[in-house]
Amino acid sequence: MPADSDPPKISTHFSTRACPRERQLLAWRDRVGHVVDVVPDKDQIARGFSGSIDLHAAGGLVFTEARTDALVLERSIARVSTDTRRDFAFHVYVEGETGHVSGLSVKRSAPGSVRGIIALDLNQRFRVERPACRVLTMFVPRVIVAAHIGDCDALHGRVLPDHAPLVHFVFEHFEATARELPVLDRPDAADALDAGARLLLAAFADKPNAASDSRAALQTAVKSQVKRYIETRLHEADLTPTAIVEALGLKRATVYRWFEQEGGLAAYIRLRRLREAADELALFPNLRIADIAFGLGFKSASDFTRAFRRAFDVSPLEMRLRALELLRATSGDPVMRMRAAHSRGLPESG
């Protein structure tokens, strides 16, 4: 988890939509020009260019989601020799394909334009003729890549098609990361990006301990997948460990083992429901406690009350009264209400 001295999470958004048509491609070139050159042509400038990019940075990693029309990107030898970018860019093509990549040495058996992932070393030259696409990109510092990839220079230009091992999990994790990053705080954003980087590097790894790295990265990705599934279904009565592993197509014994530190998967679901109940007790003071309990899958109000007291050392009614007291004391200031709840030991969601 980042220390307090670490920089905060950074989020930015840019779109060419607000630019005059003849300025759109040039505006895009200006926006991404600190990393790569956009090669324009007169016809494309005249037609206009649709492009948007969301950038998030946390924990020393940068993640972008871009949607663009077809374009040509280039890092020339002259560019490489004059700027200081030395990290790796991993492009995950969730819509569209990698396009035609030139200016680098690749194996004759390497796949051409495919839906998949391509690794590009910003310390080496390349040219990409890319079709319209939606691409999720993670920029990983060179020192991190070198620690996981034996010969990281040889990683440049490698393509993993979407059917390669671990790539399915990379796609799923990156799609979820793109959805969730805008609302995550700095520590959670850094954790999500770190998990994505480790999963990427495990997919590309060729070191002797690659199998171990892959297992660790896969465990992180699958646990995140399970937790996201639970978060969106806390109010469904049939949310059970069996239902989860069947819905996600996972191995029951493996998933159960990975949740042992949380007391087991059933215990994790129960705790998340109790924390959600604690939030609802404060947010909906007119909602009957029994209705909150039944709405979160508890079979009876008494079962809910016993579980709640074991988790938080207070009854649901006592929690609600304490929350109402705090709300009255800090009315009119939502930030102060949140801080007061935290300082008085009310459970946080998440």
Side-chain angles (χ1 to χ4, degrees):
M1 182 177 294
D4 290 339
S5 59
D6 287 347
K9 186 184 84 168
I10 298 171
S11 295
T12 64
H13 172 77
F14 175 79
S15 172
T16 63
R17 182 175 298 179
C19 303
R21 185 174 62 183
E22 68 277 6
R23 280 288 310 164
Q24 289 174 341
L25 183 61
L26 301 177
W28 187 259
R29 182 181 63 178
D30 293 341
R31 176 63 182 80
V32 302
H34 62 291
V35 176
V36 66
D37 297 317
V38 175
V39 182
D41 64 61
K42 292 181 180 180
D43 290 341
Q44 192 175 26
I45 292 174
R47 289 194 306 269
F49 179 81
S50 176
S52 67
I53 185 168
D54 291 277
L55 178 148
H56 305 278
L61 298 168
V62 176
F63 179 95
T64 65
E65 177 182 12
R67 301 172 186 266
T68 70
D69 288 341
L71 79 168
V72 178
L73 303 172
E74 184 176 56
R75 270 183 71 86
S76 64
I77 292 178
R79 176 67 183 273
V80 171
S81 64
T82 55
D83 75 11
T84 59
R85 296 300 299 254
R86 297 294 180 264
D87 43 357
F88 279 78
F90 293 87
H91 298 284
V92 180
Y93 286 84
V94 291
E95 296 175 19
E97 296 185 346
T98 57
H100 176 67
V101 184
S102 58
L104 45 82
S105 298
V106 295
K107 295 180 180 179
R108 184 171 298 178
S109 60
S113 180
V114 298
R115 182 175 182 266
I117 308 170
I118 185 170
L120 294 173
D121 179 2
L122 298 184
N123 195 39
Q124 301 185 51
R125 68 187 182 97
F126 60 82
R127 179 184 175 94
V128 181
E129 298 174 31
R130 193 169 80 186
C133 65
R134 172 172 169 249
V135 58
L136 307 178
T137 302
M138 178 167 284
F139 296 89
V140 183
R142 190 177 196 83
V143 63
I144 296 177
V145 177
H148 290 78
I149 307 296
D151 180 7
C152 65
D153 289 339
L155 186 63
H156 183 50
R158 276 188 60 190
V159 174
L160 296 181
D162 59 0
H163 55 78
L166 292 183
V167 170
H168 164 74
F169 291 100
V170 174
F171 270 66
E172 187 169 83
H173 182 82
F174 272 52
E175 286 270 37
T177 298
R179 289 193 303 269
E180 297 166 2
L181 271 176
V183 298
L184 293 180
D185 58 18
R186 184 188 66 188
D188 289 339
D191 287 346
L193 295 183
D194 178 69
R198 285 189 281 122
L199 191 57
L200 268 175
L201 294 171
F204 279 94
D206 54 5
K207 294 174 61 176
N209 62 342
S212 175
D213 291 343
S214 297
R215 284 193 297 271
L218 184 59
Q219 177 178 344
T220 299
V222 172
K223 286 188 69 173
S224 296
Q225 180 187 21
V226 171
K227 289 180 178 180
R228 289 192 299 270
Y229 187 91
I230 291 170
E231 289 304 308
T232 59
R233 293 168 174 81
L234 285 174
H235 291 84
E236 295 182 6
D238 59 352
L239 179 67
T240 63
T242 298
I244 292 170
V245 297
E246 289 179 354
L248 298 179
L250 303 173
K251 292 183 178 180
R252 184 192 311 269
T254 300
V255 174
Y256 285 15
R257 183 174 68 252
W258 285 349
F259 275 85
E260 284 179 352
Q261 290 187 340
E262 287 84 355
L265 185 53
Y268 177 82
I269 296 170
R270 195 174 184 85
L271 181 58
R272 285 301 305 124
R273 282 175 156 166
L274 289 169
R275 289 186 178 277
E276 180 67 17
D279 286 345
E280 293 185 7
L281 288 167
L283 292 172
F284 308 110
N286 295 323
L287 190 62
R288 293 175 60 241
I289 291 176
D291 290 338
I292 292 176
F294 293 137
L296 284 165
F298 289 89
K299 302 302 183 184
S300 69
S302 57
D303 176 46
F304 169 68
T305 298
R306 284 193 298 272
F308 197 95
R309 187 181 289 279
R310 283 196 300 270
F312 305 125
D313 292 327
V314 294
S315 71
L317 179 58
E318 290 169 329
M319 177 69 77
R320 170 170 278 174
L321 294 175
R322 187 180 300 180
L324 291 174
E325 177 188 344
L326 289 169
L327 288 172
R328 284 193 295 269
T330 57
S331 60
D333 189 340
V335 175
M336 288 302 298
R337 287 200 298 269
M338 291 175 62
R339 290 178 176 173
H342 180 73
S343 66
R344 292 284 291 273
L346 294 183
E348 302 170 313
S349 63

